[in-house]
Amino acid sequence: MPEQNEVAASTTKKRGRSSAPKRKANTNNRANHNVETNAYAYNTTLPYIYSVLGDFLDASPYTIKDIRTFSKNPQYYNKQLRDLAWWAYNTNGSVRSAVNYIGSMHTLDKVIVCKNRKKRPRNFERNRLKMLSVLDKINYKQQIRDNLMKNANDGTAFYYFETANRPISNEKFISDYQMANIVEINEIGMDVSIIPLPVDWCRICGRVGNHYRMAFNLRYFDQFNDRELKARLQAMPKEIRDGYNQNKGSINNWIILDDTKTIVTKVNAAINQPWGVPMAVTAFDDIMYAEYFVNTKRTVLDSINNQIIYMTFPEGKEKGTSSLTKDQQREQHEKVKEAVITRRSQYGISFFSLASGTKIDKMDVDIDIFDEKNEASIKDAVPGALGISSASLDGNTKGNYATASLNLELVASNTYTWVENFMFELNKCINANIIMDSSCVVDCYILPTTFANRDKQVKYMQDLYSHGKGSLTAWVSATGFDPDAYISLLDYELESDFENKYPVHATSFTMSGRDEADSKESGRETVDFATNENTIQSQSSGSNTNPKPSTD
């Protein structure tokens, strides 16, 4: 494998231009005055009101031939494929929508568990609170969604779980460079944070205990001047800062990081492969075709806006000559030219007279490319290559509800495996660096709930709670309500005696038949001296006090 990361900063990309036809410069603006008197022709370029856009979008950084070569060997050309994936994300609406939907698909509701099969350890509550505190500190949902985006576009993501004291910058004024490059502002004291590392300068170098071990290339800092280097070092973990200071001038430029503090995820690749593969690799061919299709339509629109109008003078006695003299041809040409220009540049009526036999016409442009069928096939091709139905992305494409629902379930199941991989790494770091209690290992479990299947998940948890040994915490989490906040509200209401202070209104929906029988103020008044035979019989047998199915 070539050391691609070492030359990542100096690699020059190929900039291929679109293959759409270009407009040729007009070189015939001047009339040819060396022709015969009665066979004179004028070529005039008329200005038009609409602006010609042309190919204003950046073309693909590589040619289609290069892309097919890269796709055949994604491990060797991983850097190029990552660049293409981000280009596709920034230029193709279907790719951007697919990646964004993958990042926002799951609700990321959580429960904290201890997988100890024996009696729950006494220190579980303390460790659980530590886990919750760390998750709130790092904003775990934001970290998961960032990881999903990087997995989709880069195929691989590297993070560092930092807990050490880090330097703080007291600069009040900073340069444009510092503003353009987002770096984390470190706080004083122990700060738990997750630091994203640049993918081009990281590498998986092995596995330890079912976790990936990674190395960082210290040559990353060689591309910055002294001022920029200070800001970059400040944003890096202490382990990398110390490694850079200790190995200045050394030929050993790779530092192997502590695997208990690193978070490494990769997708679409085998465990023993060093790089993951971006999601859009299988769609590059269709994306390039869609770009070519759009550029071709833009060229056709330019041709429509830049109309070619031609005039045929009346034919003379001899074939190929005009009945008008040279001066008459020139005068008629100028009249028509002035009328057309006036008509296109302002409102009003343009009038002119022409010699008998004069014909004015325009060259038609084939507009079959604007057929809606062509557009629909292009829209369906890219999402299909991504593995997401176009109906799921825009909601307008033809397709039935059952097919779209099935596709969403398949995409959600695949995305959930990415979430599991990230949480496996995050739980490892929190237990090793914050909880540090092997007798009570605490994990954060993300429920497989999406915004599309939330109702189903709530129903599942409700049935478990009602018919079996279900969990109230899992039920509450499935609704999207934080269980700790929910239980805190319950405790507050019990302590405030809400049940007695604010009793439920007595209505037919909140009272049963037994409640009415026990109430002396409700129901029919009792008769002390009955005269009706049925009433006397009921009182004697006590049938009114027997339970009935309708009231019990």
Side-chain angles (χ1 to χ4, degrees), residues 190-215:
M190 184 66 70
D191 181 25
V192 179
S193 61
I194 294 182
I195 304 175
L197 300 177
V199 180
D200 292 343
W201 302 89
C202 299
R203 184 74 179 271
I204 296 175
C205 58
R207 284 175 63 85
V208 178
N210 293 324
H211 297 278
Y212 290 112
R213 171 172 286 182
M214 64 164 291

Side-chain angles (χ1 to χ4, degrees), residues 169-174:
S169 174
N170 294 319
E171 293 184 69
K172 189 175 182 62
F173 302 97
I174 58 178

Side-chain angles (χ1 to χ4, degrees), residues 524-544:
R524 181 181 175 184
E525 295 182 0
T526 58
V527 180
D528 295 332
F529 303 100
T531 58
N532 186 284
E533 293 182 3
N534 293 332
T535 305
I536 295 173
Q537 183 179 358
S538 298
Q539 289 180 350
S540 301
S541 61
S543 61
N544 288 334

Side-chain angles (χ1 to χ4, degrees), residues 20-93:
K22 305 296 182 180
R23 293 183 301 277
K24 295 183 179 180
N26 188 2
T27 58
N28 299 320
N29 289 338
R30 296 183 179 180
N32 184 1
H33 296 279
N34 297 323
V35 295
E36 296 180 0
T37 303
N38 291 346
Y40 199 84
Y42 293 89
N43 297 321
T44 303
T45 302
L46 302 180
Y48 51 94
I49 189 171
Y50 300 104
S51 139
V52 179
L53 298 177
D55 185 14
F56 66 94
L57 293 176
D58 286 339
S60 167
Y62 299 98
T63 64
I64 188 63
K65 182 179 179 181
D66 293 334
I67 292 174
R68 289 171 179 169
T69 301
F70 301 157
S71 301
K72 292 178 182 178
N73 194 346
Q75 298 299 317
Y76 188 89
Y77 297 104
N78 192 263
K79 174 67 170 62
Q80 290 84 346
L81 291 177
R82 283 186 276 115
D83 293 340
L84 280 167
W86 282 105
W87 164 80
Y89 175 79
N90 292 321
T91 58
N92 188 275

Side-chain angles (χ1 to χ4, degrees), residues 44-47 336-346 350:
T44 303
T45 302
L46 302 180
V336 175
K337 171 185 172 182
E338 182 180 359
V340 172
I341 294 177
T342 304
R343 181 64 176 170
R344 295 182 65 92
S345 61
Q346 65 184 19
S350 299

